[in-house]
Amino acid sequence: MPGISGADLIVRRLVAFPESRHILTLHLLSTPFLAIQAGVFGGMVPVLLRKHFVANEWQTTVASSALAVMAILAVFWNELYQRISTRRYLLLFWVFSVLPLGGIAFCNSPNTVLAFVIFSAAGMGGLNPLSGDILRSCYPPSARSRAWSLIKSLEQFTIVISVFGVGIWFDRDPHAYRIYFALAVVVVSIGVLLLGRITRQPLFRERLRTASTASIAWSLRDAYVNMSRVLREDRRFRQYETAFCVYGLGWMICYAMVPFVQVDVLRLKYGEAFTATQVTFQLTMMLCFVPMGYVLDRAGPIRASSWAFGWLVLYPILLMTATGPLTLTLASVVYGLGMAAVNLAWTLGPVTLARNPADAPQYLAIHATLVSVRAILGQFPAVAIY
């Protein structure tokens, strides 16, 4: 078709409705900018702490678990999301999540790095309610998994390129992190502004849930009461969360041990460490996301998750037997194949299971909050045993 780019053709095939296509385009534009922050938490900071700042085991564990543990605040973010304008909400998200990244550029000790990492991780939970609302409001159920898989593929591609490049950069200049984290604030801020444009689109605004009239203070106090009520009343969602918790404990144990395998056991350089784990893992997921999106649209996120959980049993076995960069890379490939399904289902499962479409942000916030329980029960005992 003359005048239509390849990217436009992909978007048209995935999403039939013109309004959804426009929002998907904006979503795709915002993704590379926002992905920089995901790359920071996806293994970059723990390795930086361990190698450059000579952090101890517990400091490294706090860095690797910060995002998961601070997800306990996701239900609070959801209560805020239901009660203030999206413009004010995104401003709060930027202040609490994006701005602290710049503070790492001025750090000279592991404890100050950790302070900014924890602060930023606490704000990251604010992305979940908004993502759930965009998914349920702007994409038809029949194409939702494929649209999300395309977004996630672009996210992984950005993380692969950025982490690979940063690994080479940090090997050449150990103090390059000062420039990198200052630039990261600017780049991620552009992504937040593009997300703001989505929230001003008619398709999103016409389906926006009516703001609650309850006071913010009262709602925040009852956040966990509301979460407990949903889990108690929705048996199917409770079963889904139970399955994810069992799998997630194993995932958290493995995730906590990876920096020690990279630095202490295999003694890898920055480039080797990032390539054998994050780059390989993200690249594998990127290649599998779109095909897996078709699988999820047909089989559903719940069934696809169960298949992936079975496959991922191989990952800790390969991680334990890794003897160098090559075997660690193999473990990351196996890990990425299974996590392509889990990663998509992590977001799409709660959105699909929400009894009322308007409850999707709350369900996704509850799902994110329970990640913190798994992080506390999985990561810290694993490092204590180590």
Side-chain angles (χ1 to χ4, degrees), residues 210-233:
T210 304
S212 173
T213 56
S215 70
I216 293 177
W218 188 267
S219 299
L220 292 178
R221 194 198 70 173
D222 289 341
Y224 292 110
V225 174
N226 295 332
M227 182 179 82
S228 300
R229 176 181 52 78
V230 171
L231 290 170
R232 185 173 61 252
E233 294 176 357

Side-chain angles (χ1 to χ4, degrees), residues 106 112-113 119 181 204 219 228 237 254 279 305 319 325:
F106 303 97
T112 51
V113 173
F119 205 83
F181 284 104
F204 179 84
S219 299
S228 300
F237 183 54
C254 293
V279 173
S305 296
L319 196 61

Side-chain angles (χ1 to χ4, degrees), residues 86 90 130 191-201:
T86 51
L90 283 170
L130 179 59
V192 174
L193 290 173
L194 289 168
L195 271 185
R197 287 191 61 186
I198 294 177
T199 65
R200 294 194 293 273
Q201 299 303 308

Side-chain angles (χ1 to χ4, degrees), residues 57-257:
E57 285 83 358
W58 290 111
Q59 289 169 325
T60 306
T61 304
V62 169
S64 64
S65 64
L67 187 60
V69 172
M70 297 311 292
I72 197 169
L73 300 176
V75 289
F76 289 103
W77 279 103
N78 179 64
E79 296 296 333
L80 278 176
Y81 181 72
Q82 304 296 340
R83 284 158 181 81
I84 62 176
S85 68
T86 51
R87 181 174 295 184
R88 287 178 62 197
Y89 184 81
L90 283 170
L91 177 61
L92 285 173
F93 170 76
W94 181 82
V95 169
F96 285 97
S97 182
V98 182
L99 196 57
L101 290 178
I104 300 175
F106 303 97
C107 292
N108 295 304
S109 71
N111 287 332
T112 51
V113 173
L114 286 176
F116 285 111
V117 167
I118 291 169
F119 205 83
S120 181
M124 278 288 282
L127 206 55
N128 292 303
L130 179 59
S131 296
D133 217 10
I134 292 172
L135 283 170
R136 68 97 187 170
S137 301
C138 303
Y139 303 121
S142 60
R144 188 177 288 150
S145 296
R146 281 168 285 170
W148 187 236
S149 69
L150 188 62
I151 293 165
K152 296 298 289 184
S153 295
L154 184 57
E155 178 186 75
Q156 302 312 313
F157 177 76
T158 305
I159 293 174
V160 167
I161 298 300
S162 63
V163 171
F164 181 75
V166 166
I168 296 173
W169 190 14
F170 284 12
D171 274 330
R172 293 178 178 175
D173 180 6
H175 296 281
Y177 73 92
R178 299 187 186 278
I179 301 172
Y180 175 79
F181 284 104
L183 290 174
V185 174
V186 177
V187 173
V188 179
S189 297
I190 296 171
V192 174
L193 290 173
L194 289 168
L195 271 185
R197 287 191 61 186
I198 294 177
T199 65
R200 294 194 293 273
Q201 299 303 308
L203 182 60
F204 179 84
R205 296 193 66 82
E206 69 189 19
R207 300 184 184 189
L208 194 61
R209 186 174 183 173
T210 304
S212 173
T213 56
S215 70
I216 293 177
W218 188 267
S219 299
L220 292 178
R221 194 198 70 173
D222 289 341
Y224 292 110
V225 174
N226 295 332
M227 182 179 82
S228 300
R229 176 181 52 78
V230 171
L231 290 170
R232 185 173 61 252
E233 294 176 357
D234 193 333
R235 180 173 173 270
R236 194 174 178 217
F237 183 54
R238 185 172 67 250
Q239 289 175 333
Y240 180 76
E241 288 302 321
T242 301
F244 248 95
C245 279
V246 173
Y247 145 78
L249 282 173
W251 185 90
M252 288 294 177
I253 291 170
C254 293
Y255 190 75
M257 299 309 299

Side-chain angles (χ1 to χ4, degrees), residues 145-146 149 285 287-298 304 307 337-342 344:
S145 296
R146 281 168 285 170
S149 69
M285 280 208 299
L287 295 173
C288 294
F289 266 144
V290 172
M292 198 60 68
Y294 281 87
V295 172
L296 263 72
D297 273 335
R298 286 157 176 77
W307 297 339
L337 288 170
M339 284 300 294
V342 173
L344 293 176

